[in-house]
Amino acid sequence: MTTRLLDVEELVRRGTTLMVAVGTPVPAAQRVARSLAEANRCGHDSHGVVRIPWYADFVPDGRAVPTAEPVVVNEFGATAVIDGQRCWGQLAGHLACDVAERIVAGTGIAAVTVRSANHVGRLGEYVERLVAKGLVGIMWCNADPAMAPFGGRDRMLGTNPMAIGVPAGDADPMIVDFASAAVAEGKLRLERAAGRSVAPGLIQDGAGGPSTDPEDFYRGGALLPFGLHKGFGLALMIELLGGALSGNHVGFLPEYHWGNGVVLIALAPEAFGDPAVITDEFRRGLQGIRGARPAAGFDEVLAPGDIEKRVREQRDAEGIPVPQEVWEQLSATADRLGVPW
């Protein structure tokens, strides 16, 4: 099956065209499209342009208002609350970074929540932005129910990702970014489109039985938490903190709003000591991990974020692969919206 290789700017251009076609103003469309294309660029294809047909479906049923802009509705001390007003989540995510960077400059710590915004995309994008400013970034969010609790049958929790990043001076930073579900829903979307099965232990069917067929999830099954009860515990805490603190509400309660309930925390190293000393310790700690002796079957030990850096470099040189099935989905969306593809 054909796989096309596109550079990131072409992905941004094509994504912008589709986002404008659903009624998004050009600057906002460009921000969303770049966020998705950058996810592809670093290898997180599940959060890349494959999401655009899904986004397009949000508009007719009112889950997204393409012209909406997020606003800060409350600030108290080192905290702030943002209401997305049903905007595209990437707009709210970057406003949260703007606000956090402003607050942390005067307080050393900032906590910003977001409610009533759509899918914010790859959390690592926002944490990387904070890390680039020399800050520690921590972010998590709840989401539309897709995962069963440990021992349960029904969808009650979102994929509920979290990301953490620390600066390391002139060395590569560490960026942790993962869902508390055993697999991201977007990866199921890619496997289903390709007609492939998934590994055991990632999903269950509608009866609560084990499955490796991605279609079983879309027939009413559920994702499973990673690490059994431990992943479930993390997912539940993200659900409660992301939902309740943001005002987007817990996903399995009747008050829940569609979208991500986001919590973003920024920490300034200088608030805790000499920033050069702290950052250098981060650097040396990561250097120690990367220099650890590899176990049998491994060539090296990598820190979180290292693979994404390598994938970026490879895709910048060779192009970003867009599988035929994803290309066809995007083309069909363009046809439906009446724009050239």
Side-chain angles (χ1 to χ4, degrees):
M1 188 169 286
T2 304
T3 295
R4 289 171 171 80
L5 293 174
L6 281 67
D7 65 41
V8 67
E9 295 305 324
E10 183 172 357
L11 273 187
V12 172
R13 179 180 63 78
R14 289 178 178 273
T16 299
T17 296
L18 294 178
M19 295 304 299
V20 168
V22 300
T24 311
V26 171
Q30 290 173 332
R31 168 147 272 180
V32 174
R34 183 163 297 280
S35 172
L36 298 175
E38 288 291 338
N40 286 112
R41 181 173 168 241
C42 69
H44 288 265
D45 297 319
S46 61
H47 286 63
V49 295
V50 70
R51 293 283 179 170
I52 293 179
W54 188 51
Y55 285 8
D57 290 339
F58 293 172
V59 178
D61 63 13
R63 284 179 289 175
V65 177
T67 56
E69 296 183 1
V71 294
V72 178
V73 294
N74 187 56
E75 285 196 39
F76 178 76
T79 69
V81 178
I82 292 171
D83 190 313
Q85 305 188 97
R86 298 287 181 182
C87 71
W88 299 119
Q90 289 84 353
L91 307 183
H94 279 285
L95 177 59
C97 288
D98 292 341
V99 173
E101 289 169 14
R102 172 173 56 79
I103 292 174
V104 77
T107 62
I109 185 171
V112 182
T113 66
V114 176
R115 66 178 182 233
S116 298
N118 280 275
H119 182 249
V120 297
R122 185 178 69 92
L123 298 192
E125 172 181 348
Y126 310 103
V127 168
E128 286 171 358
R129 173 177 160 177
L130 295 179
V131 167
K133 298 291 181 66
L135 303 169
V136 174
I138 306 169
M139 189 177 190
W140 65 82
C141 69
N142 74 333
D144 198 42
M147 179 169 60
F150 179 67
R153 176 182 298 189
D154 300 320
R155 300 183 184 186
M156 296 186 71
L157 307 169
T159 54
N160 292 8
M162 71 177 302
I164 305 173
V166 298
D170 57 0
D172 292 330
M174 186 185 81
I175 307 292
V176 170
D177 181 6
F178 59 85
S180 51
V183 62
E185 184 275 331
K187 292 183 180 177
L188 285 187
R189 190 180 297 267
L190 291 171
E191 297 305 300
R192 179 179 66 159
R196 295 188 292 258
S197 61
V198 298
L202 304 184
I203 61 173
Q204 62 188 23
D205 61 25
S211 174
T212 60
D213 182 359
E215 197 61 50
D216 278 338
F217 170 78
Y218 297 99
R219 293 191 190 106
L223 306 177
L224 295 172
F226 80 81
L228 304 175
H229 60 287
K230 294 182 180 180
F232 162 59
L234 178 61
L236 181 56
M237 290 306 299
I238 291 173
E239 186 68 50
L240 297 177
L241 293 172
L245 289 179
S246 68
N248 215 57
H249 303 295
V250 172
F252 53 84
L253 296 181
E255 304 97 315
Y256 172 68
H257 298 310
W258 165 262
N260 296 144
V262 175
V263 178
L264 174 68
I265 297 173
L267 303 173
E270 58 265 30
F272 302 91
D274 185 330
V277 171
I278 292 172
T279 299
D280 184 63
E281 186 158 344
F282 288 152
R283 180 191 62 78
R284 289 186 294 112
L286 292 172
Q287 185 180 47
I289 290 295
R290 291 174 175 129
R293 293 188 301 163
F298 291 85
D299 296 326
E300 60 182 330
V301 176
L302 298 174
D306 289 351
I307 291 177
E308 286 83 351
K309 178 178 183 291
R310 294 180 182 184
V311 171
R312 280 192 186 101
E313 291 171 350
Q314 179 183 5
R315 292 188 171 186
D316 284 347
E318 300 175 1
I320 297 169
V322 180
Q324 180 65 22
E325 59 270 15
V326 175
W327 184 267
E328 290 174 357
Q329 290 175 18
L330 294 168
S331 178
T333 301
D335 287 344
R336 178 161 56 89
L337 297 172
V339 295
W341 184 249

